Amino acid sequence: MMTSRGKRALVAALACAASVMPAIAAPATSSVPRIVSRDGRHALMVDGAPFLMLGVQANNSSNYPEMLPKVWPMVERLHANTLEIPVAWEQVEPVEGRFDFTYVDALLAGARARNLRLVLLWFGTWKNTSPGYVPAWVKTDGRRFPRMRKADGSTHYALSPHSRTTLEADKRAFVALMRHLRDADPDHRVIMVQVENESGVYGQNRDMAPAAQALFRGPVPAALRKRGSWTEAYGKLAEAAFNSWHVGRYIDEIAAAGRAVHDVPMYTNAAVGSPFATPGEDGGASGGPNWPVIDAWKAAAPHLDLVAPDIYNRDARAYAEYLRLYDRPDNALMVPETGNAADYARFLWTVLGRGGIGFAPFGFDDTGYVNYPLGTKVVDAATVEAFAEKYALIAPIASTWAGLALAHPTWGSAKPADGGDQTMVMGRWRVTTQYGLWQFGEKDSPWLKTDPHPTKDQPVGGAAVIQLAPDEFLIAGSDVRVRLDLATPVKGDSSQLLRVEEGSYDAAGTWRRLRVLNGDQTDYGLNFTRPMLIRVTMGTYR
């Protein structure tokens, strides 16, 4: 059973979540989704309770009623609780001024029948920086809806963020969508809306049209709290910051208009560059919410609850750095899009360990498309299971986990490229994760040399930890060994496991023990050979 201290912690987390107001006031209806924050940690509230989004993103062209039968079964196979799926401007307004929400209604009905939540991805002015999803009447009228200009005056592929006409048309369609959701989604199947998709531009850093050039030569807006011209204020990052400001203002105006009619959480996503490169030279889409310009986006787009990274990098070190960059007191961490190859599944533990509010691998449906090398070569049973087994563990306790993560310190680890140990000090305890070990023995055990563990060289394994109390931890993980030891022991003190319980939480948030682990199961650390949830109480002896 849950300890009285644990019960108090969970109640406190839920009370805190209910009392913290979002940046934009929510309507009187308490069930309207919103994001709350406490002490630099965040939670997504759905139906008045913390909600952890275990998501799946469908392929881009699966956004039609006839394709949904190829989407829903995969969502269920993965044990996901949320489907991310596009709604395209060209789809809902094929003829200017005439709106068609047939697909949206089919999507809502399907989610309601399966008790799933939705995150709608608005593919408007920008989809991966291009205008591919704008209606034909926008694509073919370059005078009303101008593209960016190159330095030589020729036309660039991307639509310009400086066009009032394009902004007004996109905004009108988005408001129509949000008005329809307000009326057609009373039970809030839609818990978040992504405004545009991977905005910005490739091939050049900004619009080079005369009007844009004049703006670039002018002063930096006061909201950015910098002085001088863009070049004086930002140096090598000047063009990216300039484009970010104007793209951010454009998207913020759309989000603000949509929230005025239906106030659900909104965000936009980033096509990120290398997290270790020099800002402005990292390769991300210029003008999108890439990590070097998050501050500019925060100033430009206050009606967005967060900006989120799309991560297609299989290196654990880089993945962790992206999470660090986007996990901020003013920005809830969410990974709305990541690779669907099996080796990406281990990063769920890192996201949970960072207090993330959501995680979604891209391209999980039965339509036959794969985006290799960004994701898997084939969506086979093993690939699905790599994610499904972890979601199956967390899905029943998702609300409880989210509430505890809002109230307590967290940490996560995923197996690095070299398979080495990873550590974090949490209070007086050092938490260590180790990989590629048999359940019996240590790293230097002689049999490891002749009979290495099957996962030794595989990119699998990780753990997420919540420190429930000074000496009490909740740990979820798979394919990992976890150790807890005193970080700075006083002379004569030795650490010991006082109690280790495998179990889970019931719907009321009460801990239900399956068994107590001891003896062989704890002599060589806490071994997660499969996805497992344990509660650990530590102590010392002399």
Side-chain angles (χ1 to χ4, degrees), residues 436-479:
L437 300 176
W438 295 105
Q439 296 175 75
F440 189 91
E442 299 291 357
K443 293 173 67 176
D444 58 357
S445 296
W447 55 84
L448 280 176
K449 297 178 182 178
T450 57
D451 193 8
H453 193 272
T455 65
K456 179 180 182 297
D457 297 317
Q458 294 181 8
V460 298
V465 183
I466 301 177
Q467 187 174 22
L468 300 175
D471 300 327
E472 190 175 357
F473 298 85
L474 181 68
I475 308 174
S478 60
D479 299 294

Side-chain angles (χ1 to χ4, degrees), residues 55 68 78 88 95 149 165 187 200 242 265 277 376 385 393 395 409 433 435 447 491:
L68 292 178
L78 283 153
V95 177
R149 292 288 171 172
T165 308
D187 56 338
F242 170 82
T376 187
E385 184 61 15
L393 175 74
T433 54
Y435 300 95
W447 55 84
K491 185 177 180 180

Side-chain angles (χ1 to χ4, degrees), residues 58-64 67 86 123 133 365 367:
N59 282 302
N60 294 162
S61 300
S62 299
N63 60 327
Y64 287 86
M67 301 308 297
F123 285 6
Y133 282 80
D365 57 34
T367 61

Side-chain angles (χ1 to χ4, degrees), residues 154-211:
S154 61
T155 304
H156 193 65
Y157 74 86
L159 289 167
S160 173
H162 306 287
S163 169
R164 190 76 220 172
T165 308
T166 313
L167 171 55
E168 291 294 343
D170 189 331
K171 181 171 65 174
R172 181 180 64 242
F174 185 74
V175 168
L177 170 64
M178 297 307 295
R179 185 178 296 114
H180 185 80
L181 288 179
R182 179 194 64 194
D183 299 335
D185 188 27
D187 56 338
H188 303 295
R189 291 295 104 191
V190 177
I191 57 174
M192 298 185 79
V193 176
Q194 177 183 292
V195 189
E196 312 296 341
N197 186 86
E198 294 188 357
S199 59
V201 66
Y202 291 113
Q204 62 187 46
N205 288 326
R206 61 181 178 87
D207 192 353
M208 306 296 286

Side-chain angles (χ1 to χ4, degrees), residues 439 515 517-527:
Q439 296 175 75
R515 59 174 175 165
L517 299 178
N518 209 331
D520 289 346
Q521 278 65 55
T522 59
D523 284 349
Y524 295 96
L526 308 172
N527 291 283

Side-chain angles (χ1 to χ4, degrees), residues 330-351:
D330 64 351
N331 195 72
L333 177 64
M334 183 173 81
V335 179
E337 192 173 324
T338 195
N340 67 348
D343 52 342
Y344 282 96
R346 73 194 196 277
F347 297 128
L348 171 65
W349 304 125
T350 323
V351 173

Side-chain angles (χ1 to χ4, degrees), residues 521-538:
Q521 278 65 55
T522 59
D523 284 349
Y524 295 96
L526 308 172
N527 291 283
F528 294 73
T529 59
R530 54 181 168 78
M532 185 170 67
L533 190 69
I534 64 173
R535 286 174 63 107
V536 182
T537 303
M538 296 298 298

Side-chain angles (χ1 to χ4, degrees), residues 199 243-253 287 296-297 300-302 304:
S199 59
N243 203 27
S244 294
W245 170 261
H246 288 284
V247 173
R249 294 300 298 151
Y250 186 112
I251 291 177
D252 186 69
E253 187 168 332
W297 267 84
L304 296 179

